[in-house]
Amino acid sequence: MADHLAAPTPLEEHRRLAVFAGEWAGEEMVYPSRWTAGGPATSHVVARVDLNGFYLIQDARQMRDGKEAFATHGVFTYDRDDRTYKLFWHDSLGYYSPAPASGAWIGNKLTLVRGSLRGNARHVYEVVDDNNYTMKIQFSPDAEGWADVLTGTYRRIH
């Protein structure tokens, strides 16, 4: 008889998120929006697998014109019940989403979408190789026509 009290263990889907663990230097382009003027930025990203391997916890600090312009705290996981990846996103604009972004991997690309009363956000992470990935955040009022908010390329700091 199986031990029903045994703690679950991370699945391969959880382990797949480890590709983003580490320290990263980013070159970003911020697009003009109602929140900010557009322009180039750099970012420093630190991510770790934690809590028994179930979560990837990511903190990023974006610099523009020599000062911090934006910061984020993301918590990624795999939901074994609905079989989708989840992203819980918090940022220095004070926005708190009522629900996590949800999505899946297709090839080397993880796409996560969340909706709110403000509209829809889509995060697309593409693994280039062990030391590089790209990311874009897009916005859409109707989840059909997407506009870039931020694009970036990130290289691992060794």
Side-chain angles (χ1 to χ4, degrees):
M1 177 179 260
D3 181 357
H4 295 288
L5 298 178
T9 57
L11 303 172
E12 181 56 36
E13 289 86 352
H14 293 103
R15 289 188 288 277
R16 189 165 186 191
L17 291 168
V19 69
F20 299 115
E23 187 175 4
W24 305 84
E27 298 292 327
E28 299 176 334
M29 178 54 66
V30 178
Y31 293 85
S33 70
R34 61 183 173 199
W35 302 286
T36 186
T42 60
S43 66
H44 182 247
V45 180
V46 177
R48 70 186 189 281
V49 174
D50 208 340
L51 303 172
N52 291 332
F54 288 104
Y55 299 92
L56 175 82
I57 300 170
Q58 180 191 72
D59 292 297
R61 302 222 173 261
Q62 181 189 81
M63 301 294 288
R64 293 180 72 189
D65 301 321
K67 58 185 180 248
E68 185 176 305
F70 188 60
T72 64
H73 178 76
V75 178
F76 298 74
T77 192
Y78 178 74
D79 185 331
R80 65 180 79 225
D81 291 332
D82 73 7
R83 296 188 173 135
T84 61
Y85 285 88
K86 303 293 184 188
L87 168 57
F88 298 84
W89 180 266
H90 309 278
D91 62 41
S92 60
L93 296 176
Y95 176 67
Y96 179 79
S97 179
S102 188
W105 284 94
I106 297 177
N108 63 342
K109 201 179 284 189
L110 174 61
T111 302
L112 302 144
V113 178
R114 73 177 181 274
S116 74
L117 295 176
R118 292 179 11 181
N120 301 278
R122 178 167 67 182
H123 296 237
V124 181
Y125 298 83
E126 185 171 3
V127 177
V128 176
D129 58 36
D130 289 344
N131 295 305
N132 297 277
Y133 73 91
T134 65
M135 186 266 294
K136 64 182 168 184
I137 299 175
Q138 299 174 307
F139 177 79
S140 172
D142 58 9
E144 291 183 17
W146 295 95
D148 289 343
V149 174
L150 181 142
T151 58
T153 58
Y154 306 85
R155 67 177 165 68
R156 187 179 300 279
I157 299 171
H158 291 283

